[in-house]
Amino acid sequence: MKTINLKAAAITIASAIVAAAPRLANACATCGLSEGDHAAHAYKSSVLFMLASPYASFAAIGGITYFVYRRSIRRDRNSTPPAITKR
């Protein structure tokens, strides 16, 4: 029982130290960079690109599906119906 409490206390203290010192934890990819560094701009741009990619993919797939659907409706409208013959 004492070893469990000792482990829990050690984990709590270690977590508190890491949380109090973001430089030790490397909490942010751009926190340690100097002002005007190009790496910060590149990092932020790449995050925006990754956020926009799913929306662009969804829009492309939706657009292709819409145009294929509209083309099939247009072809059905322009085609002549099959002739019905009586026997």
Side-chain angles (χ1 to χ4, degrees), residues 51-72:
L51 286 171
S53 295
Y55 296 108
S57 299
F58 183 75
I61 292 169
I64 290 168
T65 304
Y66 175 75
F67 285 119
V68 167
Y69 172 74
R70 294 296 296 172
R71 184 174 56 185
S72 69

Side-chain angles (χ1 to χ4, degrees), residues 6-7 14 19-22 28-29 31 39-40 48 61 64 68-69 72-73 75 80 83:
L6 185 59
K7 286 181 183 179
C28 176
C31 290
L48 291 175
I61 292 169
I64 290 168
V68 167
Y69 172 74
S72 69
I73 288 178
R75 283 184 182 168
T80 58

Side-chain angles (χ1 to χ4, degrees), residues 4-85:
I4 294 174
N5 288 340
L6 185 59
K7 286 181 183 179
I11 290 172
T12 304
I13 291 171
S15 299
I17 290 171
V18 169
R23 293 239 186 239
L24 292 174
N26 290 331
C28 176
T30 60
C31 290
L33 299 175
S34 62
E35 257 330 287
D37 193 5
H38 294 292
H41 176 69
Y43 181 76
K44 292 174 186 175
S45 299
S46 67
V47 169
L48 291 175
F49 177 73
M50 287 186 287
L51 286 171
S53 295
Y55 296 108
S57 299
F58 183 75
I61 292 169
I64 290 168
T65 304
Y66 175 75
F67 285 119
V68 167
Y69 172 74
R70 294 296 296 172
R71 184 174 56 185
S72 69
I73 288 178
R74 191 174 346 123
R75 283 184 182 168
D76 288 345
R77 194 178 329 140
N78 291 340
S79 65
T80 58
I84 301 175
T85 57

